[in-house]
Amino acid sequence: MRTKQFKSESKRLLDLMINSIYTHKEIFLREIISNASDALDKLYFKSLTDSSVGLNADDFVIRIELDKENRTIKVIDNGCGMTEEELDSNLGTIAKSGSLAFKNENEKAEDVDIIGQFGVGFYSAFMVSDKVTVETKAYGSDKAYKWESAGVDGYKIGECEKDSFGTTVTMHIKEDTEDDKYSEYLDQYRISELVKKYSDYIRHPICMDFTTSKPVEGEEGKYEDVTETRTLNSRIPIWKKNKNEITDEEYNNFYKEKYYDFDDPLKVIHTSVEGNATYKALLFIPKHAPFNYYTKDYEKGLQLYSKGVLITDKCADLLPDYFSFVKGLVDSEDLSLNISREMLQHDSQLKLIAKTVERKIKTELEKMLKDEREKYEEFFKNFGIQLKFGVYNMYGLHKDQLKDLLLFTSSAEKKQVTLKEYIERMPEDQQSIYYACGETVEKTEMLPQYDAVREKGYEILILTDYVDEFTVKTLMEYEGKKFVNICDEELDISSDDEKKALETANSENAGMFEEMKKAIGDGITGVRFTNKLTKHPVCLATEGAISLDMEKTLNSMPGADENKVKASVVLEINMNHKIADKLKELYADNNDKLASYSKLLYAEACLIAGKSIDDPIEHSTLVCDLMA
Ligand code: ADP
């Protein structure tokens, strides 16, 4: 046997396992069983196309052997096995780099997170064992190899004797401590329970010898130990069972174990469809976004099974991008087992399934919105942004599918509302759907235009996500009502008389505005009076398609430096404010002062709108001059 060192990453992961305070150490068994099952699947796949394998589906078995005296559990499979190289690379370097990267970023994260989020595979055996031995013979090979390790100090690898192909994992169970009673894993009832709990759906039989005390026939009162081999798992995949036979706990366990989440799912969708497309689907909406959800590392997709056999682990074509958060699987009778991944993309049956899956998810979300509002709001907090992107992407191709799933913060009670709710309680005279954008709700409420709209009794949607305004601009309207940014100069909430008065004031003072614009310079396209401010003296309004917030978002995107967009900005002065009279006065007899005041007012308006001042030094000088 040669002694080798673990790769440093594996060593850390291993160390984490050995010293784990994780309370669900019992999951080691499902990890080892799931590896065995994968190995059986691999050989089964081979047998489908290679008749020389000579095995039937029923020949593949996982065996568990308990030895109380020697404190060992063996998990034995007759799967594909491993060659020496495979054994060395698979168990010497565990490729869970994702989990370590996560651990590095979150130095203080409990190991609970990492174990729960990623599943840790083979090394989890070290949570309960002080020594692990793997004996394996690759299918078709005549040599067998043994791998052995007692922890971080390294592992030994060398040839060994083994009759048949497959793998035997022997775990030497740790001695009991005050906190952990490891001996429970040597108990046949406990093991049987764990298999039922975590591995019931495994397709292959998981067998174990069971010893029970039975009355001896013909001899009253006498008992003897009888050993019989039992299959511990029902072998029926959970998604093939009837809904009413499955408990919430079973769904939750299945989800957590399969999709590496430490939380129960927010919603389980279990459906069986017959007709043009025949399939069963088991879908989950997670409670929170996976840590890499909003990065490009995240891969969407559902597992795809054909008649209970896994075809592909992540079939992206089954989910539209806006529902990419959904986890789960589809099992269809209609797909061929041997279909290749490339062919899948063009499979019309798959397209049909994808369409109905999408419809189902949408209906379930709508139902949740209607019947379980709080839950839906929790969902939306995590994944709403994905739906908003969905509206905005592909030039709004999917906006009609998604618009009724959107929630926005409303000025009324600062609650989340749907567009439908907004429309339904609109006062009769309200023409449009009003919205305001800002970094936070509080900052948005401070916008000078805000009060005037609220005073009219109109509700305002407060948009604080950078994608929000792009979303409503893509929607354009909802039930015939246009979306209007309260900072848009077209915001029209005045009566005819008010409008007329404003028009007159603006044309009478056109000369003054021209002077002011000249003083301020390139930053603006015009100056004018407004009647839509209540307390504030000034505000910035924008003309055209690009608002100030969009300008900010677009210019902060990668590559925007060469191609900056610019909103067309108008400085609006409150025509009913004292400052309006002051300006008129200055225009009549002090043009220099009018110029400085114009710059000051523009700077003020910029600050209120959350925009920086073009020339802070000049601004400061002007303020000081005024003070002195
Ligand atoms: P994962 O199963 O997530 O890939 P593991 O740490 O559980 O990671 O296992 C590492 C690798 O070791 C597996 O991918 C597989 O190639 C190999 N392996 C583990 N157990 C077995 C087994 N019983 N038979 C064949 N190969 C195995």
Side-chain angles (χ1 to χ4, degrees):
M1 298 275 274
R2 288 168 293 127
T3 305
K4 293 194 163 193
Q5 293 302 312
F6 286 106
K7 296 267 158 45
S8 59
E9 285 217 330
S10 311
K11 210 161 158 170
R12 284 197 56 202
L13 197 54
L14 200 58
D15 188 42
L16 208 68
M17 286 304 108
I18 294 167
N19 300 309
S20 173
I21 48 153
Y22 189 47
T23 42
H24 296 89
K25 294 193 168 122
E26 63 190 33
I27 57 117
F28 80 94
L29 188 63
R30 82 160 190 225
E31 299 286 318
I32 299 301
I33 288 179
S34 128
N35 281 346
S37 170
D38 289 347
L40 295 178
D41 281 341
K42 273 183 208 158
L43 194 55
Y44 173 70
F45 270 125
K46 197 175 162 62
S47 75
L48 287 178
T49 51
D50 180 352
S51 57
S52 73
V53 175
L55 289 166
N56 294 318
D58 290 342
D59 298 332
F60 297 94
V61 180
I62 299 168
R63 278 189 57 79
I64 300 179
E65 287 178 10
L66 302 179
D67 181 342
K68 263 195 173 144
E69 239 163 80
N70 294 308
R71 295 188 71 81
T72 59
I73 312 181
K74 280 188 187 343
V75 176
I76 305 164
D77 68 70
N78 57 344
C80 61
M82 285 176 270
T83 62
E84 186 180 14
E85 292 76 44
E86 282 167 347
L87 186 59
D88 194 12
S89 65
N90 289 344
L91 303 187
T93 331
I94 295 281
K96 304 276 182 195
S97 46
S99 50
L100 272 182
F102 176 74
K103 180 72 183 166
N104 286 338
E105 276 167 28
N106 303 272
E107 232 0 282
K108 278 184 236 79
E110 298 270 316
D111 52 354
V112 175
D113 295 349
I114 164 173
I115 294 170
Q117 282 237 352
F118 300 95
V120 280
F122 174 76
Y123 284 179
S124 60
F126 286 93
M127 290 197 290
V128 300
S129 326
D130 43 30
K131 190 171 88 181
V132 180
T133 309
V134 179
E135 287 151 296
T136 186
K137 190 176 193 176
Y139 176 80
S141 160
D142 51 6
K143 280 198 178 139
Y145 296 91
K146 180 168 163 175
W147 179 102
E148 190 166 271
S149 172
V152 282
D153 290 340
Y155 58 95
K156 282 191 231 161
I157 198 162
E159 263 184 65
C160 72
E161 283 301 313
K162 190 174 185 309
D163 289 342
S164 54
F165 56 86
T167 304
T168 300
V169 178
T170 307
M171 291 162 274
H172 189 269
I173 298 300
K174 291 182 187 175
E175 294 297 333
D176 290 351
T177 65
E178 215 159 89
D179 298 328
D180 289 291
K181 303 282 171 265
Y182 296 104
S183 299
E184 65 176 303
Y185 303 123
L186 297 164
D187 179 74
Q188 56 180 8
Y189 293 99
R190 180 75 176 125
I191 292 297
S192 166
E193 188 183 289
L194 288 180
V195 171
K196 264 247 150 300
K197 181 167 174 192
Y198 292 111
S199 312
D200 192 56
Y201 64 90
I202 296 273
R203 287 192 307 134
H204 311 286
I206 303 168
C207 301
M208 186 169 75
D209 282 348
F210 227 86
T211 305
T212 42
S213 202
K214 288 200 169 150
V216 181
E217 231 174 279
E219 293 185 52
E220 195 141 333
K222 226 178 160 193
Y223 285 82
E224 63 177 354
D225 280 351
V226 176
T227 301
E228 59 197 347
T229 304
R230 288 189 190 169
T231 301
L232 306 179
N233 54 331
S234 77
R235 303 178 59 190
I236 303 173
I238 180 169
W239 61 92
K240 288 204 173 172
K241 294 185 187 169
N242 280 331
K243 268 196 227 181
N244 52 16
E245 287 168 16
I246 311 169
T247 62
D248 288 348
E249 201 195 357
E250 271 178 281
Y251 277 131
N252 293 347
N253 279 339
F254 178 83
Y255 165 76
K256 286 191 280 196
E257 151 196 353
K258 253 206 126 116
Y259 303 104
Y260 306 131
D261 199 343
F262 54 88
D263 248 336
D264 292 340
L266 187 71
K267 180 104 203 145
V268 180
I269 305 170
H270 188 180
T271 162
S272 177
V273 178
E274 274 171 39
N276 287 340
T278 301
Y279 67 89
K280 293 189 165 35
L282 181 54
L283 311 172
F284 301 93
I285 298 174
K287 212 171 250 174
H288 45 76
F291 82 101
N292 64 350
Y293 185 62
Y294 290 107
T295 72
K296 61 181 187 328
D297 291 340
Y298 182 83
E299 276 180 73
K300 64 162 186 171
L302 299 176
Q303 289 182 310
L304 182 63
Y305 287 79
S306 164
K307 305 176 190 72
V309 179
L310 185 66
I311 303 184
T312 166
D313 209 29
K314 275 231 166 91
C315 183
D317 300 320
L318 279 171
L319 282 180
D321 279 340
Y322 42 86
F323 291 155
S324 63
F325 46 82
V326 175
K327 305 265 186 195
L329 58 92
V330 166
D331 189 350
S332 171
E333 305 281 318
D334 303 337
L335 297 165
S336 147
L337 254 187
N338 299 318
I339 192 164
S340 71
R341 280 165 200 229
E342 296 73 48
M343 287 300 294
L344 263 180
Q345 276 195 346
H346 308 292
D347 192 280
S348 58
Q349 206 56 34
L350 191 78
K351 288 202 176 113
L352 203 60
I353 295 176
K355 212 184 253 168
T356 46
V357 163
E358 173 179 346
R359 214 176 300 139
K360 179 72 186 170
I361 298 170
K362 189 182 164 213
T363 328
E364 287 295 324
L365 286 174
E366 282 166 349
K367 233 195 276 173
M368 200 202 300
L369 174 60
K370 191 162 151 274
D371 303 333
E372 298 173 289
R373 181 62 173 237
E374 232 170 85
K375 207 174 194 181
Y376 189 83
E377 289 189 15
E378 193 184 339
F379 155 77
F380 200 82
K381 215 163 59 199
N382 282 298
F383 300 110
I385 197 163
Q386 198 63 20
L387 300 185
K388 293 178 194 165
F389 270 122
V391 168
Y392 158 66
N393 268 352
M394 321 235 333
Y395 308 100
L397 186 65
H398 303 290
K399 64 181 180 183
D400 288 332
Q401 257 127 294
L402 298 172
K403 63 186 179 197
D404 284 314
L405 292 174
L406 299 178
L407 290 178
F408 295 103
T409 308
S410 153
S411 57
E413 306 168 66
K414 309 291 168 318
K415 275 204 190 122
Q416 298 283 305
V417 297
T418 62
L419 294 173
K420 198 172 203 80
E421 287 160 353
Y422 181 100
I423 291 278
E424 276 169 4
R425 59 187 188 215
M426 240 163 86
E428 227 167 87
D429 66 329
Q430 187 177 337
Q431 298 303 317
S432 315
I433 302 174
Y434 297 110
Y435 69 88
C437 304
E439 274 170 54
T440 61
V441 173
E442 291 71 28
K443 276 194 186 171
T444 313
E445 284 177 299
M446 284 178 210
L447 285 170
Q449 293 93 329
Y450 193 90
D451 294 334
V453 181
R454 291 295 289 140
E455 271 170 28
K456 289 268 173 188
Y458 303 156
E459 193 171 347
I460 300 172
L461 300 176
I462 304 177
L463 311 188
T464 50
D465 263 340
Y466 68 99
V467 57
D468 280 344
E469 194 173 12
F470 294 89
T471 306
V472 297
K473 289 242 175 197
T474 309
L475 287 172
M476 291 191 293
E477 49 98 28
Y478 182 86
E479 291 191 3
K481 301 285 179 191
K482 254 176 45 182
F483 285 94
V484 174
N485 188 333
I486 62 163
C487 295
D488 195 289
E489 55 96 35
E490 272 181 24
L491 171 69
D492 183 7
I493 50 172
S494 355
S495 66
D496 287 348
D497 286 348
E498 286 168 336
K499 266 186 229 169
K500 204 168 269 158
L502 177 63
E503 250 167 56
T504 316
N506 269 331
S507 57
E508 278 173 8
N509 292 284
M512 174 180 83
F513 293 140
E514 206 44 51
E515 268 323 294
M516 292 178 74
K517 177 173 165 346
K518 231 189 289 165
I520 296 166
D522 289 342
I524 51 165
T525 36
V527 183
R528 61 173 157 256
F529 280 141
T530 179
N531 57 12
K532 65 192 177 211
L533 295 179
T534 50
K535 303 190 277 287
H536 289 274
V538 282
C539 71
L540 291 185
T542 47
E543 289 178 331
I546 299 180
S547 72
L548 282 174
D549 291 271
M550 289 171 86
E551 177 189 284
K552 206 151 85 190
T553 305
L554 290 170
N555 287 341
S556 66
M557 295 201 173
D561 283 350
E562 299 103 63
N563 244 327
K564 290 234 185 270
V565 287
K566 203 166 164 354
S568 170
V569 177
V570 179
L571 175 64
E572 293 194 330
I573 317 259
N574 184 348
M575 65 182 283
N576 303 316
H577 194 279
K578 294 198 288 279
I579 198 73
D581 299 328
K582 183 73 191 175
L583 289 171
K584 285 184 219 164
E585 210 177 278
L586 292 178
Y587 179 58
D589 58 32
N590 191 342
N591 264 338
D592 280 351
K593 221 169 185 178
L594 177 68
S596 337
Y597 276 34
S598 303
K599 288 180 188 170
L600 281 168
L601 286 172
Y602 173 57
E604 259 184 61
C606 284
L607 288 176
I608 295 171
K611 195 170 142 59
S612 60
I613 302 177
D614 298 340
D615 186 345
I617 302 287
E618 185 192 31
H619 177 71
S620 162
T621 314
L622 286 171
V623 173
C624 289
D625 282 352
L626 205 65
M627 290 161 86

